Amino acid sequence: MLGWALTFLVVALIAAALGFGGIAGTSAGIAQILFFVFIVLFVVAMIARALRGRPPL
């Protein structure tokens, strides 16, 4: 998921550099949403792992 977020970020940067504002804004928004979903899932996985008795990474 983090890879997809980075991909959309690169697409947004390239689109912004070429002057495609709408596509750049949409791609940046998608990248931001994917990044926050990734962070939430990562934290949930670390908490679940700690509750099972294994130390977090």
Side-chain angles (χ1 to χ4, degrees):
M1 188 172 297
L2 187 58
W4 280 102
L6 292 173
T7 301
F8 276 105
L9 179 62
V10 169
V11 168
L13 292 173
I14 292 171
L18 296 176
F20 297 107
I23 295 172
T26 303
S27 294
I30 292 171
Q32 186 176 12
I33 291 168
L34 287 174
F35 179 74
F36 285 122
V37 169
F38 168 78
I39 292 296
V40 168
L41 290 176
F42 179 74
V43 169
V44 168
M46 290 296 105
I47 291 171
R49 184 176 170 106
L51 290 176
R52 276 192 243 138
R54 295 185 214 145
L57 298 173

